[in-house]
Amino acid sequence: MIFQSVRARLALWHTAVLAVLLIGFALAAYIFLDRTTAARADEYLASAAAGFVTELTAERIDANSDSAAIDAAASEFRVRDLGVLIFDHEGRRIAAGSGGLLSGPPPPVRHRQTGAEPEPVLDTARLREAVMQSAPTNERKLMLPDAEGGYWVSLIPVQLRNGVYRVAMVQSRHAEEETLEAARLACIIAIPIMLLAAGVGGSFLAKRSLAPVAALSERAARISATDLSERLPVRNPRDELGQLAVVLNELLSRVDHSLEQQRRFMADASHELRTPVSIMRAEAEVSLSADARTPTEYRDSLRVIVDTSARLSVVVNELFFLARADAGQQPLRRSALYLDELLSDCVRSLRALAERSGVIILPVLDEDASFNGDDGMLRRLVTNLLDNAVKYSGSGSTITVTLSEAPDAYSISIRDSGAGIPPEAQPHLFERFFRADVARSRAASGSGSMGGGAGLGLAIAQWVAEAHGGRLTLASSSPAGTEFVLWLPRDIPAPVESPSEFPYDSARSTPG
């Protein structure tokens, strides 16, 4: 239907609102005009009646009788749109004044086609009936209707020598009625014309106003899931539609970036998983290719398969953790714990690995550092940092683990004395599958480290920190060593179930 269009509905609403306003204004103006003319006529009639009564009283002083005074006052009354009649106490008309307004019978209804119209006159018989029905000593105002608008009548009692007379001051409403009729006709003609013009203008304005929306729809229809490089046109970024286009473009950018991250993540994950699977398959095929192999050769092949599957298991577990975290399905299981005890346990668990590499782990911990957090995830975070520190520190190096307490947070520092991280790699440390030195990472993973060398440990560590309302940062890195600092707030108002996504940019990563 036509009114399913936004343009048609806007034009209709515009016309409907304008119709209500115009009709309301016309009614208010008509009522104001009617009441104003009536009030002015009433004031004019009352002033004229009071003046005639004053004149009649003055004439009675000089005249010999009441009749002479009344005739003299009536004959001197010459007002074009007013008439005056004087009645005695029995309702008989004594005198009348003001020319044609009071002469003859009332005219028939006017026909505007006949050209010249006779001057309407008052039906004095109806006026006499009204006078007889009114109290002789009270002032009264009444209306005598006719086909042309009627007459205003003001009845005023006057005390003369021979008794009480009633003065009827009459004013025609025909001119006022013609004015009101002209106003009604003007409204009846003008309002539909204005509404028609408003409808056409509203439709044109709606079309112009919705033109940017049509352009947005046309451009959005060309955007597909496989190509999100196009953006919506922004004609005026300062108006509402321009702001909407800017917001949608930003949304498209985020969706494009997210999809690109997922594609690259899947590609890197596939590559990361393909390598150990290829190794295991190759070892199995080599072992089965010969008719007979010694038990030592079988043990060596199985050892390679076990080591590779262990590394594959680590990668799969980390990928599963990341997938659950991205989907918001990795909740925290908070409990009361002590960070100094947690750090001591982590140092104790990696001490054997550190001793095999000739590395010393030195804890410097404040006691009774109570915290409310997920014990397992925090252990995983600290273990990943310590494992990296052990892998990249040479024999004879020292790793310092420091726990200090601030008024509103805990600071955990893990500093090694390794060769440091290259400056160009530092901005990408927390990206998935990123490794600053692939060869060294492989070597470290082959030496029995816990990290597996997949480049996911720091990404997981950062997520755990953010999930607890804290942050993990690279404080410093130089040829003298590297320091990571973990900040954890002491008071967490509410659990953070879904922190920000893991930083990831596979274009900069170097999976092996």
Side-chain angles (χ1 to χ4, degrees):
M1 295 177 64
I2 185 173
F3 293 118
Q4 292 180 347
S5 168
V6 175
R7 172 185 172 186
R9 290 200 298 269
L10 285 176
L12 179 63
W13 274 107
H14 174 263
T15 306
V17 171
L18 184 60
V20 172
L21 294 177
L22 287 177
I23 294 174
F25 176 77
L27 287 176
Y30 181 81
I31 293 173
F32 175 78
L33 179 62
D34 185 22
R35 293 184 177 181
T36 301
T37 55
R40 290 182 178 178
D42 183 65
E43 181 181 356
Y44 178 56
L45 187 63
S47 176
F52 180 78
V53 169
T54 302
E55 180 67 22
L56 178 58
T57 304
E59 289 289 345
R60 182 63 186 88
I61 295 174
D62 298 332
N64 296 327
S65 64
D66 291 348
S67 298
I70 291 173
D71 290 339
S75 62
E76 293 178 1
F77 186 81
R78 293 289 184 270
V79 180
R80 180 180 180 278
D81 55 348
L82 292 178
V84 62
L85 296 94
I86 300 92
F87 297 88
D88 62 10
H89 62 282
E90 294 181 357
R92 295 189 300 266
R93 188 175 73 173
I94 304 300
S98 188
L101 182 62
L102 305 176
S103 62
V109 177
R110 290 182 293 181
H111 299 282
R112 300 188 182 278
Q113 301 93 323
T114 59
E117 301 173 359
E119 183 69 21
V121 295
L122 173 66
D123 187 354
T124 56
R126 296 178 61 187
L127 176 59
R128 182 178 180 278
E129 292 177 4
V131 172
M132 292 300 296
Q133 293 173 1
S134 62
T137 59
N138 295 335
E139 293 188 10
R140 183 186 177 190
K141 293 180 181 179
L142 54 92
M143 174 70 180
L144 294 180
D146 66 5
E148 301 296 331
Y151 300 86
W152 289 111
V153 180
S154 178
L155 293 177
I156 302 175
V158 179
Q159 178 68 47
L160 299 180
R161 291 178 183 178
N162 294 334
V164 177
Y165 297 86
R166 277 173 286 187
V167 176
M169 186 63 66
V170 182
Q171 182 183 20
S172 173
R173 289 193 72 249
H174 300 159
E176 288 80 1
E177 183 63 25
E178 289 181 358
T179 301
L180 294 176
E181 184 179 356
R184 291 193 298 268
L185 182 61
C187 292
I188 292 174
I189 296 176
I191 290 179
I193 295 176
M194 295 175 66
L195 292 180
L196 179 61
V200 174
S203 178
F204 175 75
L205 291 177
K207 180 179 180 180
R208 290 292 302 273
S209 300
L210 294 176
V213 178
L216 292 179
S217 301
E218 182 180 356
R219 183 68 64 84
R222 296 202 300 264
I223 299 176
S224 62
T226 56
D227 183 14
L228 296 176
S229 59
E230 285 200 55
R231 293 296 178 264
L232 302 178
V234 181
R235 295 186 178 182
N236 183 7
R238 292 183 295 274
D239 63 12
E240 289 79 0
L241 292 178
Q243 294 174 3
L244 174 62
V246 170
V247 172
L248 292 178
N249 284 336
E250 293 175 354
L251 174 62
L252 287 173
S253 297
R254 291 194 297 270
V255 172
D256 187 20
H257 181 67
S258 177
L259 291 177
E260 184 65 21
Q261 284 184 340
Q262 291 183 10
R263 286 192 291 265
R264 292 176 179 176
F265 178 75
M266 292 298 297
D268 286 348
S270 300
H271 184 79
E272 191 70 30
L273 295 175
R274 183 179 60 184
T275 301
V277 170
S278 300
I279 293 174
M280 290 188 293
R281 181 178 179 178
E283 282 294 329
E285 290 177 349
V286 169
S287 299
L288 294 174
S289 61
D291 294 336
R293 297 180 67 87
T294 64
T296 302
E297 292 174 333
Y298 279 118
R299 272 196 301 271
D300 291 341
S301 296
L302 290 175
R303 186 177 297 108
V304 171
I305 294 175
V306 169
D307 292 342
T308 306
S309 63
R311 176 174 174 269
L312 179 63
S313 177
V314 171
V315 174
V316 170
N317 289 334
E318 289 181 343
L319 289 175
F320 181 68
F321 182 93
L322 293 177
R324 288 177 56 86
D326 286 344
Q329 298 177 357
Q330 188 67 50
L332 299 182
R333 296 176 175 84
R334 296 183 182 275
S335 62
L337 53 89
Y338 289 93
L339 291 177
D340 54 320
E341 295 180 358
L342 184 147
L343 292 174
S344 297
D345 292 343
C346 292
V347 170
R348 192 177 303 112
S349 65
L350 271 84
R351 185 163 288 162
L353 175 63
E355 289 177 353
R356 285 199 303 268
S357 300
V359 178
I360 299 174
I361 302 178
L362 178 63
V364 181
L365 310 175
D366 289 344
E367 295 183 357
D368 298 332
S370 61
F371 186 70
N372 183 26
D374 189 313
D375 183 84
M377 288 192 180
L378 290 174
R379 288 178 184 273
R380 187 170 189 170
L381 185 158
V382 175
T383 301
N384 280 342
L385 295 178
L386 289 175
D387 182 54
N388 284 339
V390 170
K391 284 193 296 184
Y392 300 124
S393 296
S395 178
S397 302
T398 300
I399 300 173
T400 304
V401 181
T402 305
L403 170 63
S404 58
E405 184 177 348
D408 57 351
Y410 292 106
S411 172
I412 300 175
S413 170
I414 298 178
R415 181 177 182 84
D416 62 53
S417 54
I421 302 172
E424 64 275 6
Q426 294 179 13
H428 314 294
L429 286 178
F430 299 103
E431 296 171 1
R432 299 177 184 182
F433 295 108
F434 179 80
R435 290 183 294 273
D437 190 334
V438 179
R440 183 171 59 179
S441 176
R442 294 297 185 203
S445 63
S447 66
S449 68
M450 299 176 62
L456 299 175
L458 287 180
I460 293 176
Q462 187 189 54
W463 185 91
V464 173
E466 292 180 353
H468 285 82
R471 66 182 187 275
L472 176 64
T473 60
L474 174 64
S476 63
S477 183
S478 66
T482 300
E483 180 182 9
F484 286 90
V485 175
L486 171 64
W487 294 90
L488 293 175
R490 300 189 60 177
D491 298 322
I492 303 177
V496 182
E497 300 294 349
S498 182
S500 60
E501 293 184 354
F502 293 96
Y504 174 70
D505 188 353
S506 69
R508 301 178 184 274
S509 62
T510 54

